[in-house]
Amino acid sequence: MFDGIGRRVVSIWFPRLASDRALRARPVDGPFALTLKQANADRLYCLDTGAERAGLHRGMAYADARAFCPDLQTRPADPAGDARFLRMLRRWATRYCPWVGLEGRDGLVLDITGAAHLFGGEAMLLSDMRQRLARAGLAARIGLADTRGAAWALAHHGEGCADPGQPLAALDHLPVAALRLGEDTVTGLTRLGLRKIGELERTARAPLTRRFGPEPLLRLDQAMGRQPEQISPLAEPPHYGVRLTLPDPIGLFDDVMAGTGRLLDQLCARLKTQEAGARSLCLTLRRIDQEAQTVELRLARPLRDAARILPLFERGVREVDAGYGIDQMRLEATRVEPLPVRQLSHVSSGRADRLDDLISRIGTRIGLENIQRFLPVDSHIPERGFTIAAAAWSEPEGSWASPRPRPILLFPPEPLAATGPRPPERFRWRRMSLSTARATGPERIAPEWWLPDENWRSGVRDYWHVETRQGRRLWLFHTPQNPGWFVQGEFA
């Protein structure tokens, strides 16, 4: 859809979007600004009116800003959060018209053609916008014209409205920068004496094209409506929810599972279309007395296979109190993750799928966070050679690389009464008298100096694999810098 003569377009510019969003969450007294690290230096990213009155500006070094304004209060900027907030505003703006798009990082564009009369006219519509945005604590400048370019120019350089069919009358006195031109082009036009849009409109076109290329005249024609410019509204995110209304109430387990299966078929088909998989699902069962029973299911891996998901609902459905009957069922994927199509072959194994289903089944009883796995860590320190992660949110690693065998059981070092650099022939450990039959070593391990660890303050350790005559296979170490013997692990 294009905006041209006969259309009405609104451009909303939020000159202080980031700072207004931050102050909405946590107001402050005095000048305020957001800082962002750029080129290894903190610079001002967005300012409020108090900071602007103090003479500060965007891009200014933070150290210089504090020198000019000692009372300045700052917080780190969050561009990703600002982008999410702008998308929320875009969704809010659909109350005025269905065609709403983003205009850069701090603006919106609305095609209100045929919608203004629903609010009592264009003036009432713009007034309603300003009042609502002001109550929300957002500074906004609004422009209204027949074209997207003209509306943008009015919002950024002369807030107001252009009469239908007369964009030049509203833009004639505005600077050429209002045509969304680059800085170099604006500087070149200014040196030629073309400072206003009206002056550019009345200048011969051929010399301008030869010197500056087609961009200045293209932007001018778009603003005047001689060239179309598309307004592309953002598509609404897909909704992963399906519903089933029953003509007669049901209450038997088999009937509820059959209805859940039908809902899963529809939901999984929608997930497949979006190449996504459900990570958590919520089944809502509404009874005829208007009470609702919910069954939540969290999966160890994103899935869209109805045959694999349906049996996982059995335990939760059996615990549902159907009362006098269930007349409506609703299934929603509350958490969705990307699940691209994979190439299958005859050599692929279903062992991983069966393991994921087992983790999901156990997780419904004890919680997915309580099912954990060990993962290797790139560290030669025994205590740091592994980490524990939830199996549902981690992938199994490959083989554990170790230059020498490591004990299955590790525990904090326990001291032994022994002297000398070689393992003792006889020693007592945990009230047991043991004698050494065979000792293999030493394996010297140095501390990781870049990580503070109180347990390794004694310096290097010489580890020995000691086999005792009593059948114990222990992992001992000796500390040469602070002589002493310790037991830290036991082999299987």
Side-chain angles (χ1 to χ4, degrees):
M1 184 172 290
F2 298 90
D3 56 305
I5 300 300
R7 295 203 158 274
R8 299 299 279 172
V9 180
V10 172
S11 178
I12 307 177
W13 177 41
F14 303 96
R16 294 181 293 274
L17 177 69
S19 60
D20 287 346
R21 184 178 76 90
L23 292 175
R24 274 166 47 93
R26 192 171 56 181
V28 299
D29 294 328
F32 174 79
L34 296 174
T35 62
L36 186 66
K37 199 173 189 64
Q38 299 175 343
N40 296 325
D42 287 333
R43 298 187 176 276
L44 300 189
Y45 177 74
C46 189
L47 302 78
D48 70 344
T49 54
E52 291 177 349
R53 285 195 296 266
L56 308 183
H57 58 84
R58 290 194 180 194
M60 190 177 189
Y62 173 65
D64 296 340
R66 289 302 301 268
F68 276 99
C69 183
D71 298 334
L72 179 66
Q73 302 182 56
T74 62
R75 296 178 202 159
D78 181 16
D82 298 335
R84 291 192 297 269
F85 184 64
L86 184 61
R87 288 177 177 270
M88 292 173 57
L89 289 175
R90 186 210 67 83
R91 188 165 186 175
W92 163 82
T94 56
R95 72 188 310 273
Y96 298 104
C97 65
W99 287 79
V100 183
L102 301 182
E103 191 75 86
R105 297 183 300 177
D106 55 3
L108 301 174
V109 57
L110 298 78
D111 187 347
I112 63 168
T113 305
H117 71 280
L118 301 175
F119 298 86
E122 293 178 350
M124 296 295 294
L125 184 146
L126 298 183
S127 176
D128 185 75
M129 283 185 182
R130 292 190 179 96
Q131 291 178 8
R132 291 179 182 274
L133 292 173
R135 286 199 299 267
L138 298 175
R141 298 178 63 177
I142 303 176
L144 172 63
D146 292 337
T147 66
R148 180 175 182 175
W152 188 95
L154 291 171
H156 286 73
H157 295 271
E159 185 177 14
C161 302
D163 294 333
Q166 301 180 7
L168 182 59
L171 304 182
D172 185 84
H173 65 286
L174 297 184
V176 292
L179 294 177
R180 298 171 290 173
L181 300 176
E183 293 184 5
D184 294 340
T185 304
V186 172
T187 302
L189 292 172
T190 303
R191 288 175 179 174
L192 292 178
L194 302 176
R195 296 179 174 85
K196 305 295 184 181
I197 294 179
E199 297 171 350
L200 184 64
E201 172 71 11
R202 291 182 285 271
T203 302
R205 301 172 69 91
L208 289 175
T209 303
R210 285 196 298 268
R211 180 159 186 171
F212 298 102
E215 183 187 11
L217 295 180
L218 173 63
R219 290 299 190 185
L220 178 63
D221 291 341
Q222 288 176 340
M224 297 302 165
R226 293 188 289 262
Q227 287 288 339
E229 187 174 6
Q230 187 176 18
I231 298 177
S232 301
L234 295 182
E236 292 293 334
H239 176 66
Y240 300 105
V242 290
R243 180 177 300 175
L244 176 63
T245 301
L246 303 169
D248 296 315
I250 61 174
L252 298 178
F253 169 79
D254 292 338
D255 295 338
V256 176
M257 290 299 296
T260 305
R262 291 180 59 182
L263 293 175
L264 273 173
D265 291 338
Q266 301 176 35
L267 180 61
C268 290
R270 190 174 301 178
L271 290 169
K272 185 177 181 180
T273 302
Q274 300 293 331
E275 291 194 3
R279 196 62 187 269
S280 60
L281 301 105
C282 180
L283 175 64
T284 304
L285 306 174
R286 194 189 69 180
R287 305 189 310 196
I288 59 176
D289 58 358
Q290 302 303 313
E291 293 292 331
Q293 300 278 312
T294 60
V295 179
E296 294 186 1
L297 177 64
R298 294 193 299 167
L299 304 173
R301 289 291 181 273
L303 286 179
R304 59 168 177 259
D305 187 349
R308 291 177 56 191
I309 299 175
L310 183 59
L312 303 177
F313 272 106
E314 292 181 355
R315 180 174 180 272
V317 171
R318 289 187 185 277
E319 297 177 355
V320 168
D321 180 12
Y324 293 103
I326 297 169
D327 61 358
Q328 187 180 93
M329 304 175 64
R330 186 176 186 274
L331 181 63
E332 181 182 6
T334 55
R335 181 179 175 186
V336 176
E337 295 182 3
L339 185 61
V341 177
R342 295 182 301 172
Q343 180 67 42
L344 301 178
S345 66
H346 66 282
V347 298
S348 61
S349 173
R351 294 181 59 186
D353 294 341
R354 291 196 296 269
L355 177 60
D356 294 340
D357 293 346
L358 177 61
I359 293 175
S360 298
R361 286 181 178 274
I362 299 176
T364 58
R365 297 175 179 267
I366 65 174
L368 287 176
E369 298 82 0
N370 297 321
I371 306 174
Q372 301 173 335
R373 63 160 52 101
F374 290 92
L375 299 176
V377 175
D378 187 13
S379 175
H380 60 270
I381 302 298
E383 303 94 310
R384 297 176 180 165
F386 66 92
T387 185
I388 300 176
W393 288 280
S394 61
E395 295 291 341
E397 299 289 341
S399 59
W400 292 58
S402 177
R404 296 193 180 184
R406 292 289 185 259
I408 297 297
L409 179 62
L410 278 176
F411 42 79
E414 300 176 2
L416 294 178
T419 59
R422 297 189 62 83
E425 295 184 359
R426 293 182 178 82
F427 57 92
R428 288 186 61 82
W429 175 64
R430 293 184 178 179
R431 299 182 181 181
M432 294 183 292
S433 297
L434 304 175
S435 57
T436 302
R438 181 183 177 184
T440 304
E443 176 190 359
R444 175 159 290 187
I445 298 179
E448 295 175 338
W449 55 267
W450 57 91
L451 294 175
D453 191 342
E454 295 294 334
N455 297 326
W456 283 77
R457 292 294 185 185
S458 57
V460 299
R461 297 178 180 179
D462 291 335
Y463 280 87
W464 294 79
H465 180 188
V466 175
E467 299 181 12
T468 65
R469 301 183 187 280
Q470 290 75 20
R472 296 280 185 172
R473 302 172 62 220
L474 305 178
W475 209 36
L476 280 64
F477 70 85
H478 177 251
T479 53
Q481 296 173 344
N482 187 14
W485 279 94
F486 300 85
V487 182
Q488 192 178 0
E490 186 173 4
F491 294 86

PDB file of all heavy atoms in Angstrom, residues 3 10 33 37 78 150 173 203 213 274 283 308 313 364 367 372 385 451:
ATOM      1  N   ASP A   3       1.374   5.640   0.074  1.00  0.00           N
ATOM      2  CA  ASP A   3       0.765   6.893   0.477  1.00  0.00           C
ATOM      3  C   ASP A   3       1.006   7.927  -0.603  1.00  0.00           C
ATOM      4  O   ASP A   3       2.095   8.100  -1.095  1.00  0.00           O
ATOM      5  CB  ASP A   3       1.337   7.363   1.814  1.00  0.00           C
ATOM      6  CG  ASP A   3       2.840   7.494   1.771  1.00  0.00           C
ATOM      7  OD1 ASP A   3       3.533   6.518   1.418  1.00  0.00           O
ATOM      8  OD2 ASP A   3       3.324   8.584   2.067  1.00  0.00           O
ATOM      9  N   VAL A  10       0.451  10.037   9.450  1.00  0.00           N
ATOM     10  CA  VAL A  10       0.910  10.640  10.708  1.00  0.00           C
ATOM     11  C   VAL A  10       2.286  10.088  11.036  1.00  0.00           C
ATOM     12  O   VAL A  10       2.507   8.876  10.970  1.00  0.00           O
ATOM     13  CB  VAL A  10      -0.073  10.361  11.862  1.00  0.00           C
ATOM     14  CG1 VAL A  10       0.511  10.822  13.193  1.00  0.00           C
ATOM     15  CG2 VAL A  10      -1.404  11.045  11.606  1.00  0.00           C
ATOM     16  N   ALA A  33      20.727  11.726  32.228  1.00  0.00           N
ATOM     17  CA  ALA A  33      21.141  11.268  30.900  1.00  0.00           C
ATOM     18  C   ALA A  33      21.469   9.788  30.961  1.00  0.00           C
ATOM     19  O   ALA A  33      21.791   9.240  32.029  1.00  0.00           O
ATOM     20  CB  ALA A  33      22.353  12.061  30.402  1.00  0.00           C
ATOM     21  N   LYS A  37      28.697   3.108  25.916  1.00  0.00           N
ATOM     22  CA  LYS A  37      30.120   3.005  25.602  1.00  0.00           C
ATOM     23  C   LYS A  37      30.305   2.969  24.093  1.00  0.00           C
ATOM     24  O   LYS A  37      29.800   2.085  23.412  1.00  0.00           O
ATOM     25  CB  LYS A  37      30.722   1.751  26.241  1.00  0.00           C
ATOM     26  CG  LYS A  37      32.235   1.784  26.357  1.00  0.00           C
ATOM     27  CD  LYS A  37      32.744   0.600  27.155  1.00  0.00           C
ATOM     28  CE  LYS A  37      34.227   0.733  27.464  1.00  0.00           C
ATOM     29  NZ  LYS A  37      34.517   1.878  28.331  1.00  0.00           N
ATOM     30  N   ASP A  78      20.104   1.144  27.389  1.00  0.00           N
ATOM     31  CA  ASP A  78      19.690  -0.206  27.000  1.00  0.00           C
ATOM     32  C   ASP A  78      19.002  -0.128  25.636  1.00  0.00           C
ATOM     33  O   ASP A  78      17.760  -0.091  25.558  1.00  0.00           O
ATOM     34  CB  ASP A  78      18.750  -0.791  28.061  1.00  0.00           C
ATOM     35  CG  ASP A  78      18.293  -2.200  27.721  1.00  0.00           C
ATOM     36  OD1 ASP A  78      18.912  -2.838  26.844  1.00  0.00           O
ATOM     37  OD2 ASP A  78      17.304  -2.671  28.322  1.00  0.00           O
ATOM     38  N   ALA A 150       6.570  14.040   3.995  1.00  0.00           N
ATOM     39  CA  ALA A 150       6.123  15.327   4.513  1.00  0.00           C
ATOM     40  C   ALA A 150       5.761  15.230   5.993  1.00  0.00           C
ATOM     41  O   ALA A 150       6.062  16.136   6.786  1.00  0.00           O
ATOM     42  CB  ALA A 150       4.922  15.818   3.701  1.00  0.00           C
ATOM     43  N   HIS A 173       9.147  26.425   4.079  1.00  0.00           N
ATOM     44  CA  HIS A 173      10.101  27.125   4.941  1.00  0.00           C
ATOM     45  C   HIS A 173      10.994  26.194   5.748  1.00  0.00           C
ATOM     46  O   HIS A 173      11.849  26.667   6.505  1.00  0.00           O
ATOM     47  CB  HIS A 173       9.331  28.023   5.914  1.00  0.00           C
ATOM     48  CG  HIS A 173       8.475  27.238   6.873  1.00  0.00           C
ATOM     49  ND1 HIS A 173       7.288  26.629   6.477  1.00  0.00           N
ATOM     50  CD2 HIS A 173       8.630  26.945   8.193  1.00  0.00           C
ATOM     51  CE1 HIS A 173       6.747  26.009   7.521  1.00  0.00           C
ATOM     52  NE2 HIS A 173       7.537  26.186   8.569  1.00  0.00           N
ATOM     53  N   THR A 203      14.445  24.968  -7.981  1.00  0.00           N
ATOM     54  CA  THR A 203      15.742  24.918  -8.649  1.00  0.00           C
ATOM     55  C   THR A 203      15.682  23.920  -9.803  1.00  0.00           C
ATOM     56  O   THR A 203      14.949  22.919  -9.748  1.00  0.00           O
ATOM     57  CB  THR A 203      16.839  24.513  -7.650  1.00  0.00           C
ATOM     58  OG1 THR A 203      16.855  25.459  -6.576  1.00  0.00           O
ATOM     59  CG2 THR A 203      18.210  24.511  -8.312  1.00  0.00           C
ATOM     60  N   GLY A 213      23.492  13.347  -7.388  1.00  0.00           N
ATOM     61  CA  GLY A 213      22.859  12.072  -7.619  1.00  0.00           C
ATOM     62  C   GLY A 213      21.350  12.168  -7.498  1.00  0.00           C
ATOM     63  O   GLY A 213      20.766  13.243  -7.284  1.00  0.00           O
ATOM     64  N   GLN A 274       5.668 -22.417  11.255  1.00  0.00           N
ATOM     65  CA  GLN A 274       6.603 -21.382  11.700  1.00  0.00           C
ATOM     66  C   GLN A 274       7.988 -21.937  12.018  1.00  0.00           C
ATOM     67  O   GLN A 274       8.846 -21.180  12.467  1.00  0.00           O
ATOM     68  CB  GLN A 274       6.028 -20.694  12.949  1.00  0.00           C
ATOM     69  CG  GLN A 274       4.688 -20.026  12.740  1.00  0.00           C
ATOM     70  CD  GLN A 274       4.770 -18.841  11.808  1.00  0.00           C
ATOM     71  OE1 GLN A 274       5.811 -18.187  11.720  1.00  0.00           O
ATOM     72  NE2 GLN A 274       3.683 -18.543  11.108  1.00  0.00           N
ATOM     73  N   LEU A 283      -2.616 -26.543  29.229  1.00  0.00           N
ATOM     74  CA  LEU A 283      -3.932 -27.061  28.851  1.00  0.00           C
ATOM     75  C   LEU A 283      -4.947 -26.565  29.874  1.00  0.00           C
ATOM     76  O   LEU A 283      -4.834 -26.865  31.066  1.00  0.00           O
ATOM     77  CB  LEU A 283      -3.914 -28.585  28.802  1.00  0.00           C
ATOM     78  CG  LEU A 283      -5.241 -29.280  28.534  1.00  0.00           C
ATOM     79  CD1 LEU A 283      -5.771 -28.923  27.146  1.00  0.00           C
ATOM     80  CD2 LEU A 283      -5.107 -30.798  28.695  1.00  0.00           C
ATOM     81  N   ARG A 308       4.403 -37.642  20.377  1.00  0.00           N
ATOM     82  CA  ARG A 308       5.330 -37.695  21.500  1.00  0.00           C
ATOM     83  C   ARG A 308       4.871 -36.840  22.668  1.00  0.00           C
ATOM     84  O   ARG A 308       5.159 -37.151  23.830  1.00  0.00           O
ATOM     85  CB  ARG A 308       6.722 -37.231  21.050  1.00  0.00           C
ATOM     86  CG  ARG A 308       7.423 -38.186  20.097  1.00  0.00           C
ATOM     87  CD  ARG A 308       8.756 -37.624  19.642  1.00  0.00           C
ATOM     88  NE  ARG A 308       9.618 -37.308  20.767  1.00  0.00           N
ATOM     89  CZ  ARG A 308      10.753 -36.618  20.664  1.00  0.00           C
ATOM     90  NH1 ARG A 308      11.136 -36.145  19.484  1.00  0.00           N
ATOM     91  NH2 ARG A 308      11.498 -36.389  21.735  1.00  0.00           N
ATOM     92  N   PHE A 313       1.009 -35.745  28.793  1.00  0.00           N
ATOM     93  CA  PHE A 313      -0.103 -35.084  29.480  1.00  0.00           C
ATOM     94  C   PHE A 313      -0.883 -36.044  30.378  1.00  0.00           C
ATOM     95  O   PHE A 313      -1.732 -35.595  31.159  1.00  0.00           O
ATOM     96  CB  PHE A 313      -1.075 -34.473  28.460  1.00  0.00           C
ATOM     97  CG  PHE A 313      -0.722 -33.080  28.037  1.00  0.00           C
ATOM     98  CD1 PHE A 313      -0.185 -32.833  26.794  1.00  0.00           C
ATOM     99  CD2 PHE A 313      -0.932 -32.015  28.904  1.00  0.00           C
ATOM    100  CE1 PHE A 313       0.132 -31.545  26.398  1.00  0.00           C
ATOM    101  CE2 PHE A 313      -0.621 -30.719  28.516  1.00  0.00           C
ATOM    102  CZ  PHE A 313      -0.077 -30.483  27.261  1.00  0.00           C
ATOM    103  N   THR A 364       8.127 -33.644  35.134  1.00  0.00           N
ATOM    104  CA  THR A 364       6.779 -33.313  35.585  1.00  0.00           C
ATOM    105  C   THR A 364       6.551 -33.699  37.040  1.00  0.00           C
ATOM    106  O   THR A 364       5.640 -33.168  37.681  1.00  0.00           O
ATOM    107  CB  THR A 364       5.739 -34.031  34.704  1.00  0.00           C
ATOM    108  OG1 THR A 364       5.966 -35.447  34.759  1.00  0.00           O
ATOM    109  CG2 THR A 364       5.841 -33.556  33.266  1.00  0.00           C
ATOM    110  N   GLY A 367      10.451 -31.664  38.758  1.00  0.00           N
ATOM    111  CA  GLY A 367      10.924 -30.396  38.220  1.00  0.00           C
ATOM    112  C   GLY A 367      12.118 -30.586  37.298  1.00  0.00           C
ATOM    113  O   GLY A 367      13.065 -31.312  37.642  1.00  0.00           O
ATOM    114  N   GLN A 372      19.919 -33.031  36.459  1.00  0.00           N
ATOM    115  CA  GLN A 372      21.157 -32.357  36.111  1.00  0.00           C
ATOM    116  C   GLN A 372      22.141 -33.323  35.470  1.00  0.00           C
ATOM    117  O   GLN A 372      22.036 -34.544  35.612  1.00  0.00           O
ATOM    118  CB  GLN A 372      21.781 -31.715  37.360  1.00  0.00           C
ATOM    119  CG  GLN A 372      20.869 -30.696  38.034  1.00  0.00           C
ATOM    120  CD  GLN A 372      21.418 -30.201  39.345  1.00  0.00           C
ATOM    121  OE1 GLN A 372      22.203 -30.880  40.015  1.00  0.00           O
ATOM    122  NE2 GLN A 372      21.018 -28.990  39.730  1.00  0.00           N
ATOM    123  N   GLY A 385      37.223 -28.968  36.997  1.00  0.00           N
ATOM    124  CA  GLY A 385      37.211 -29.687  35.738  1.00  0.00           C
ATOM    125  C   GLY A 385      35.822 -30.062  35.268  1.00  0.00           C
ATOM    126  O   GLY A 385      35.693 -30.710  34.220  1.00  0.00           O
ATOM    127  N   LEU A 451      42.920 -16.928  38.791  1.00  0.00           N
ATOM    128  CA  LEU A 451      41.678 -17.102  39.529  1.00  0.00           C
ATOM    129  C   LEU A 451      41.988 -17.217  41.018  1.00  0.00           C
ATOM    130  O   LEU A 451      42.794 -18.064  41.417  1.00  0.00           O
ATOM    131  CB  LEU A 451      40.921 -18.346  39.056  1.00  0.00           C
ATOM    132  CG  LEU A 451      40.393 -18.312  37.614  1.00  0.00           C
ATOM    133  CD1 LEU A 451      39.773 -19.647  37.263  1.00  0.00           C
ATOM    134  CD2 LEU A 451      39.380 -17.197  37.437  1.00  0.00           C
TER     135      LEU A 451
END
